[in-house]
Amino acid sequence: MTPEGKVINSRYDKFKQINRFLEYIDDILPSVMEQKKSESHPLKIADFGCGKSYLTFAVHYFLTQIKKIDCRIVGLDLKKDVIEHCNKLAKDFGCEGLIFKTGDIAEYSDSEPENNPDIIITLHACDTATDYALKYAVEKNAKAILSVPCCQHEINQQLEKNKKLLSESEANVLAPVFKHGLLRERVSALLTDSLRADYLERCGYKVDVMEFIDMSHTPKKHSSSRSKKTECKKYFRRQKSSRQREYTRRQTGPY
């Protein structure tokens, strides 16, 4: 922000992404809070791959200052120096219930059932980090998940290793696609999104694929959201572009 309180031009795209994300959180809150009405503990949120935590701080402010909801938020990231800085900011700003931890999403674990997050969010968690976050959310029976994936290399690397066989097979109707790196990358992204959506559906989530924000604002990122329980409609959003997809899903409880 400038001294006058205006958003710096070079950060406006990030500002728009975060505000869009907050709209999704606001959208799923009624159903999440309905599911929690028999619970006494505060709303719990985990932000995996929080980075510098622009989104994390915004979510905390939105919930505590605007929605007046008591919450506990944990931000997780691999960079120790960044996490130390975020914890210092949280202390300086008096953000009660907001803490940051250093750790890998793939290895993160909290064995205390009372610490299971109600909502899990990820903004630009790279490659399989998004998949580990989704797996954790399902295992902990998260009521809602909002996830904006980033780069997706896993399937693309597998196709790259077998591109000669795939592109030369006369029986493969997608052979022309696998000849070209850009097209192969886009197909890989579609396959990744499809498998994620299918995984969530098999775990009891209803999934819709939708657009997050215009590509001009986030050329290679995506977003995803899901949530669980009756009355909570889930959506899984998908970008028009293969590299910038978004999913936002709200869930309507186990089938």
Side-chain angles (χ1 to χ4, degrees), residues 127-128 130-131 134-135 138 149 152-156 158-159 186-205 207 209 224 226 236 238 245 247 249:
D127 199 17
T128 54
T130 293
D131 301 293
L134 300 186
K135 179 175 180 290
V138 169
Q152 302 182 31
H153 300 306
E154 182 68 23
I155 290 181
N156 191 35
Q158 296 180 43
L159 293 179
R186 293 186 175 181
V187 168
S188 300
L190 288 170
L191 289 173
T192 302
D193 293 345
S194 300
L195 290 172
R196 285 171 176 161
D198 185 63
Y199 168 67
L200 292 168
E201 287 180 330
R202 289 173 182 269
C203 292
Y205 290 94
V207 178
V209 179
S224 153
R226 316 132 173 112
F236 190 80
R238 168 168 191 13
R245 276 158 332 251
Y247 339 66
R249 153 200 169 228

Side-chain angles (χ1 to χ4, degrees), residues 4 36 41 43 54 65 73 97 102 124 134 162 165 192 194 205 207 212-213 236 247:
E4 294 76 27
K36 285 181 60 61
H41 55 73
L43 178 69
Y54 301 124
Q65 302 303 311
I73 302 178
T102 304
H124 304 163
L134 300 186
N162 297 281
L165 175 63
T192 302
S194 300
Y205 290 94
V207 178
F212 179 39
I213 61 176
F236 190 80
Y247 339 66

Side-chain angles (χ1 to χ4, degrees), residues 51-88:
K52 294 182 179 178
S53 304
Y54 301 124
L55 174 63
T56 326
F57 280 101
V59 170
H60 183 271
Y61 179 85
F62 175 71
L63 292 175
T64 60
Q65 302 303 311
I66 297 178
K67 305 299 288 187
K68 306 300 181 184
I69 295 175
D70 186 19
C71 66
R72 301 290 181 269
I73 302 178
V74 176
L76 182 76
D77 200 86
L78 288 170
K79 299 178 181 177
K80 184 177 179 181
D81 58 332
V82 173
I83 290 301
E84 289 176 349
H85 180 63
C86 290
N87 275 319
K88 181 180 183 303

Side-chain angles (χ1 to χ4, degrees), residues 127-172:
D127 199 17
T128 54
T130 293
D131 301 293
Y132 285 117
L134 300 186
K135 179 175 180 290
Y136 182 86
V138 169
E139 290 175 346
K140 298 300 181 180
N141 198 32
K143 298 177 178 66
I145 311 164
L146 298 120
S147 175
V148 181
C150 185
C151 50
Q152 302 182 31
H153 300 306
E154 182 68 23
I155 290 181
N156 191 35
Q157 290 172 347
Q158 296 180 43
L159 293 179
E160 174 69 21
K161 292 178 182 178
N162 297 281
K163 65 179 181 181
K164 182 176 177 62
L165 175 63
L166 293 169
S167 61
E168 294 180 356
S169 172
E170 294 183 359
N172 184 3

Side-chain angles (χ1 to χ4, degrees), residues 201-254:
E201 287 180 330
R202 289 173 182 269
C203 292
Y205 290 94
K206 178 182 178 182
V207 178
D208 298 313
V209 179
M210 305 185 301
E211 183 181 11
F212 179 39
I213 61 176
D214 186 74
M215 269 212 26
S216 62
H217 297 287
T218 173
K220 51 182 278 190
K221 318 291 185 183
H222 9 286
S223 149
S224 153
S225 139
R226 316 132 173 112
S227 113
K228 220 176 182 179
K229 208 70 182 176
T230 12
E231 307 247 348
C232 181
K233 183 182 180 183
K234 317 173 241 174
Y235 48 94
F236 190 80
R237 284 193 129 195
R238 168 168 191 13
Q239 266 293 28
K240 295 178 181 177
S241 149
S242 66
R243 297 196 59 179
Q244 167 181 348
R245 276 158 332 251
E246 153 197 12
Y247 339 66
T248 303
R249 153 200 169 228
R250 304 178 223 154
Q251 164 183 4
T252 326

